[in-house]
């Protein structure tokens, strides 16, 4: 019998039926800035050609930080600010797209403001908090009609730490998270810190003990957290992180590591009716079930008799996680179609289409009038 390890039910019920030119042209080998009384060493033409070819492939950073008194500063790969500070970033261009911590969008945070002006786009974040720690970047969009793509040669990004001695770990909305361990890709325990110099260690809850980060199989990335390069079922369990930085150590939230081994591809789908023969005024339900990876969402669509006439039916969607008994975790997704007061014209084929990112599967069953 499958052992239920965690139930995450999201019920969903609804009724169907309702470049400027230079003033002085440069000669080959001429430097941009000449120093007085210094001889300028001329580069060999072939080196100049190669330099020109290489520079055309490099991306041009278009991101700057606005400092005091109207000064601008190019941004390094990382930047540390104290929580509470405000920051203004500018990105050159007239069609700019920004990247920033997703929760700022999720909660529609009014502290974040983005404006597109004639020659640049402006991002302002006021009253920063430790939770704002993350990647901030921008790029230009190249558009042809309604189709747009990212200009890989004109981008900019920086990772900003908003340090807070009271919040060494970047705050999260929950106190417990599930991390799925897939055998064919790295898994990340996202205990990120707000202070890049903090010493961070990984710990197992039971049996209690520290898990060594050897730099090969398990590494620590200050921008991501601990990364399991090759997850196995032996890594199952509950873990947490500990951080120290000039004071008492702080503990992160807990992470439940669940090993997953489910075939990839279109949903593995089955369908069954409570009865394949129904009488008038009976109530029947048809269940469409999918077994799949825990973190892969499944969408359901139904086709049934009398659907075009807006026959009222009730559809409920939900899912849960189960332990298959061998250290593997599977997600069961179900869609239930309920028909009340069965009539003769309700007899016929009931078709369920289950879809995930890899494709879709169609299954059907017939319900006859008894």
């Amino acid at each position: 019998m499958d052992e239920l390890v965690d139930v995450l039910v999201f019920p969903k019920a609804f009724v169907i039926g309702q470049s400027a030119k230079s003033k002085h042209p440069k000669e080959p080998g001429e430097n941009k800035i000449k120093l007085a009384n210094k001889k300028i060493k001329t580069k060999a033409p072939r080196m100049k050609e190669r330099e020109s070819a290489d520079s055309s492939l490099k991306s041009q950073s278009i991101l700057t930080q606005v400092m005091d008194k109207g000064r601008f500063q190019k941004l390094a790969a990382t930047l540390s600010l104290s929580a509470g500070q405000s920051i203004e970033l500018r990105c050159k261009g007239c069609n700019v797209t920004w990247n920033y911590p997703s929760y700022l969008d999720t909660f529609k945070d009014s502290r974040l403001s983005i404006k597109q002006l004639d020659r640049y786009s402006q991002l302002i974040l006021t009253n920063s908090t430790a939770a704002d720690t993350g990647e901030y970047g921008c790029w230009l969009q190249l558009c042809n009609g309604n189709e747009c793509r990212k200009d890989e040669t004109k981008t900019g990004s920086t990772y900003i730490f908003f340090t807070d001695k009271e919040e060494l770990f970047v705050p999260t909305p929950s106190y417990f998270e599930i991390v799925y361990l897939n055998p064919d890709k790295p898994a990340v325990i996202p205990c990120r810190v707000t202070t890049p110099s903090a010493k961070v260690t990984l710990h197992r809850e039971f049996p209690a003990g520290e898990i060594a980060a050897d730099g090969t199989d398990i590494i620590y990335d200050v921008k991501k957290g601990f990364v399991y390069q090759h997850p196995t079922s032996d890594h199952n369990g509950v873990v947490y992180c500990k951080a120290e930085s000039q004071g008492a150590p702080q503990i992160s939230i807990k992470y439940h590591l669940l090993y997953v081994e489910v075939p990839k591809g279109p949903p593995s789908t089955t369908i069954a009716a409570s009865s394949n023969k129904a009488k008038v005024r009976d109530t029947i339900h048809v269940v469409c079930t999918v077994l799949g990876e825990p973190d892969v969402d499944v969408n359901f669509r139904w086709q049934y008799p009398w659907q075009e006439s807006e026959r009222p039916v009730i559809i409920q969607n939900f899912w849960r996680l189960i332990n298959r008994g061998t250290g593997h975790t599977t997600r069961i997704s179900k869609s239930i179609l309920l028909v009340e007061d069965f009539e003769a014209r309700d007899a016929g084929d009931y078709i369920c289409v289950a879809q995930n990112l890899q494709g879709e599967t169609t299954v059907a069953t017939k319900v006859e009038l008894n």
Side-chain angles (χ1 to χ4, degrees):
M1 178 179 296
D2 295 333
E3 177 189 353
L4 180 65
V5 295
D6 200 356
V7 178
L8 302 175
V9 180
F10 299 149
K12 185 178 180 183
F14 51 90
V15 176
I16 292 185
Q18 318 283 336
S19 109
K21 295 182 180 180
S22 174
K23 295 181 180 179
H24 169 59
K26 291 169 58 180
E27 298 296 328
E30 182 182 8
N31 290 335
K32 290 183 179 178
I33 300 176
K34 290 187 177 183
L35 302 179
N37 300 322
K38 295 285 185 177
K39 291 184 179 180
I40 306 302
K41 185 177 180 180
T42 304
K43 296 181 180 180
R46 63 187 183 89
M47 292 296 291
K48 186 70 177 180
E49 292 171 4
R50 187 175 68 181
E51 180 187 32
S52 177
D54 289 345
S55 63
S56 66
L57 298 175
K58 294 179 180 179
S59 63
Q60 176 186 350
S61 179
I62 56 176
L63 181 64
T64 56
Q65 178 186 1
V66 181
M67 310 299 288
D68 293 336
K69 299 179 181 179
R71 294 183 297 112
F72 296 87
Q73 175 176 292
K74 288 187 177 181
L75 289 165
T78 60
L79 174 66
S80 291
L81 300 174
S82 297
Q85 285 187 254
S86 297
I87 186 171
E88 178 181 345
L89 303 178
R90 288 189 181 182
C91 208
K92 297 177 184 177
C94 58
N95 190 4
V96 173
T97 298
W98 286 93
N99 172 56
Y100 45 84
S102 59
Y103 93 96
L104 289 169
D105 265 342
T106 303
F107 296 98
K108 296 181 179 179
D109 204 311
S110 60
R111 297 177 301 117
L112 178 71
S113 169
I114 294 178
K115 293 181 181 179
Q116 177 67 60
L117 303 174
D118 288 341
R119 297 183 179 181
Y120 63 89
S121 181
Q122 174 193 63
L123 180 150
I124 297 177
L125 179 64
T126 60
N127 300 321
S128 63
T129 70
D132 299 325
T133 296
E135 193 82 28
Y136 291 77
C138 63
W139 60 88
L140 292 189
Q141 290 273 41
L142 296 177
C143 297
N144 183 6
N146 294 327
E147 294 184 1
C148 295
R149 63 180 177 84
K150 180 179 180 180
D151 186 347
E152 299 289 350
T153 65
K154 294 182 180 180
T155 65
S157 68
T158 187
Y159 190 97
I160 304 178
F161 295 91
F162 289 100
T163 61
D164 186 342
K165 63 181 181 180
E166 302 298 326
E167 295 275 7
L168 287 184
F169 288 105
V170 179
T172 60
S174 63
Y175 295 97
F176 189 88
E177 288 187 13
I178 294 177
V179 175
Y180 300 114
L181 307 177
N182 197 301
D184 59 3
K185 64 181 179 181
V188 178
I189 291 85
C191 46
R192 298 180 297 125
V193 289
T194 63
T195 303
S197 60
K199 179 184 177 182
V200 188
T201 52
L202 181 63
H203 299 260
R204 184 188 302 108
E205 185 175 58
F206 183 84
E210 182 178 340
I211 302 173
D214 56 13
T216 303
D217 292 327
I218 302 178
I219 64 175
Y220 182 71
D221 185 329
V222 71
K223 298 180 182 181
K224 296 180 181 179
F226 285 95
V227 182
Y228 283 72
Q229 298 287 57
H230 308 287
T232 70
S233 58
D234 293 337
H235 295 136
N236 274 334
V238 177
V239 301
Y240 61 90
C241 299
K242 182 185 294 186
E244 296 181 57
S245 178
Q246 301 177 350
Q250 295 183 18
I251 303 299
S252 73
I253 67 170
K254 293 180 180 180
Y255 301 91
H256 193 173
L257 310 187
L258 297 176
Y259 186 70
V260 180
E261 196 168 46
V262 181
K264 292 183 179 296
S268 174
T269 313
T270 59
I271 191 169
S274 55
S275 175
N276 290 106
K277 292 188 177 182
K279 297 178 181 179
V280 173
R281 295 184 181 178
D282 277 356
T283 296
I284 68 164
H285 59 266
V286 185
V287 184
C288 193
T289 305
V290 170
L291 294 179
E293 297 178 82
D295 53 350
V296 175
D297 290 329
V298 178
N299 296 315
F300 294 96
R301 303 195 310 272
W302 286 94
Q303 299 173 31
Y304 48 90
W306 206 20
Q307 183 176 17
E308 294 181 357
S309 300
E310 298 186 352
R311 169 35 159 140
V313 299
I314 297 173
I315 296 177
Q316 294 179 313
N317 297 333
F318 63 93
W319 61 269
R320 64 176 181 171
L321 300 179
I322 63 168
N323 188 327
R324 303 302 293 174
T326 56
H328 300 162
T329 303
T330 301
R331 170 170 168 161
I332 295 183
S333 301
K334 291 189 177 185
S335 183
I336 302 176
L337 184 148
L338 180 67
V339 180
E340 298 178 317
D341 295 324
F342 191 86
E343 301 177 17
R345 51 187 167 180
D346 291 321
D349 293 325
Y350 286 76
I351 301 171
C352 171
V353 181
Q355 183 178 40
N356 63 16
L357 293 176
Q358 282 78 43
E360 64 181 35
T361 303
T362 302
V363 290
T365 189
K366 184 182 291 291
V367 178
E368 300 176 346
L369 181 64
N370 192 352

